């Protein structure tokens, strides 16, 4: 088994689901919608009031038929038209504000989805890292077992070869020792003593007699 590597359990990261987030853009758009709705309410009330005034002016003009009454009807009609235009503008503002809210919501959802996708990618990457560590430990253990088996086989072959060589050496040494013992066990053969040649004695020459000194001295005189 692999040694020196501690197996650590990878923490599982849970990917977050995409949820709508209230962004500043959404808040601003909602405020615009509230303001537009308030404008519509106020404009509607003014339109109703203007319509009542127009109805009253028409009633008065029908009964009196005076120029002033007719002029009041025209003025009331213009006021109604003005208030209706204001109401239409308020409604248009409300539509634009609602469109801004929709756009802001879409953007917020897209941002949330992007964040969730990033979280999911990170979680997946971390799970792969954990799996890689587990797979590595498994692969190392398998490789070590395979390597040890092959090495043991190789070493066994080397040991067998060395044993044969050592056995051959041992047999050669044993044979040599046996031969030596055989040689030592045989009785030693005595070598015949060599005769020394006799020394020749040289014949002594007779010594010359010395002449008497006196006679020699006389001759010299």
């Amino acid at each position: 088994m692999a040694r020196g590597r501690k197996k650590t359990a990878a923490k599982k990261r849970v990917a977050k689901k995409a949820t709508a987030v209230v962004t500043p853009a959404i808040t601003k758009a909602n405020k615009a919608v509230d303001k537009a709705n308030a404008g519509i309410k106020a404009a509607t009330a003014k339109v109703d009031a203007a319509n009542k005034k127009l109805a009253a002016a028409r009633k008065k003009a029908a009964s009196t038929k005076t120029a002033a009454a007719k002029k009041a009807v025209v003025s009331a009609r213009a006021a109604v038209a003005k208030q209706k235009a204001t109401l239409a503008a308020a409604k248009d503002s409300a539509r634009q504000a609602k469109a801004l809210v929709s756009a802001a919501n879409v953007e917020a959802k897209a941002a949330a989805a992007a964040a969730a996708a990033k979280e999911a990618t990170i979680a997946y990457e971390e799970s792969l890292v954990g799996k890689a560590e587990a797979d590595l430990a498994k692969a190392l253990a398998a490789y070590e077992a395979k390597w040890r088996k092959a090495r043991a086989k190789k070493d066994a072959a080397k040991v067998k070869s060395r044993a044969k060589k050592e056995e051959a050496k041992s047999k050669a040494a044993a044979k040599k020792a046996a031969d030596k013992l055989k040689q030592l066990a045989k009785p030693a053969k005595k070598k015949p003593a060599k005769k020394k040649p006799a020394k020749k004695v040289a014949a002594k020459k007779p010594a010359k007699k010395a002449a008497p000194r006196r006679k020699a001295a006389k001759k010299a005189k």
Side-chain angles (χ1 to χ4, degrees):
M1 291 181 71
R3 295 183 183 88
R5 293 185 64 89
K6 290 183 179 179
K7 191 176 179 182
T8 54
K11 291 182 180 179
K12 193 174 182 181
R13 186 169 184 149
V14 181
K16 293 179 180 179
K17 292 182 179 180
T19 54
V21 180
V22 179
T23 62
I26 293 175
T27 302
K28 186 178 179 180
N30 283 328
K31 286 181 179 179
V33 169
D34 292 340
K35 186 178 179 180
N37 287 333
I40 289 173
K41 187 176 181 181
T44 301
K46 288 180 180 179
V47 167
D48 291 341
N51 280 327
K52 287 179 180 179
K53 285 181 180 180
L54 177 59
R58 282 176 176 172
K59 187 176 180 180
K60 186 176 181 181
S63 60
T64 59
K65 294 182 181 180
T66 60
K70 289 178 180 180
K71 188 177 180 181
V73 170
V74 172
S75 296
R77 191 182 290 120
V80 169
K82 183 181 178 181
Q83 295 303 325
K84 283 183 177 180
T86 302
L87 177 60
K91 287 180 179 180
D92 188 54
S93 295
R95 278 194 295 273
Q96 290 179 7
K98 287 178 180 178
L100 287 175
V101 170
S102 297
N105 280 325
V106 169
E107 289 176 357
K109 285 180 180 179
K118 188 176 181 180
E119 282 286 330
T121 301
I122 293 171
Y124 180 65
E125 183 182 8
E126 289 179 353
S127 69
L128 287 181
V129 170
K131 188 174 183 297
E133 286 295 324
D135 289 347
L136 176 60
K138 187 177 179 182
L140 285 174
Y143 174 77
E144 184 179 359
K146 185 179 178 181
W147 184 88
R148 286 185 180 280
K149 185 178 179 181
R151 185 56 179 263
K153 187 177 180 181
K154 194 174 181 181
D155 289 349
K158 286 182 178 180
V159 170
K160 188 176 181 181
S161 176
R162 176 59 67 88
K164 283 183 179 179
K165 288 179 181 178
E166 295 300 329
E167 187 179 0
K169 284 182 183 179
S170 178
K171 284 181 178 178
K175 187 176 181 301
K176 190 175 180 181
D179 292 343
K180 188 72 176 175
L181 289 171
K182 283 180 182 179
Q183 290 293 330
L184 292 172
K186 287 179 180 179
K189 290 180 179 179
K190 291 182 179 180
K191 293 181 179 179
K194 290 182 180 180
K195 289 182 179 181
K196 293 182 180 180
K199 290 182 180 180
K200 290 181 180 182
V201 180
K204 291 183 179 181
K205 290 181 179 182
K208 288 181 180 182
K209 291 181 179 180
R213 289 183 183 180
R214 288 180 182 181
K215 288 182 179 180
K218 286 179 178 180
K219 286 180 179 181
K221 285 181 178 181

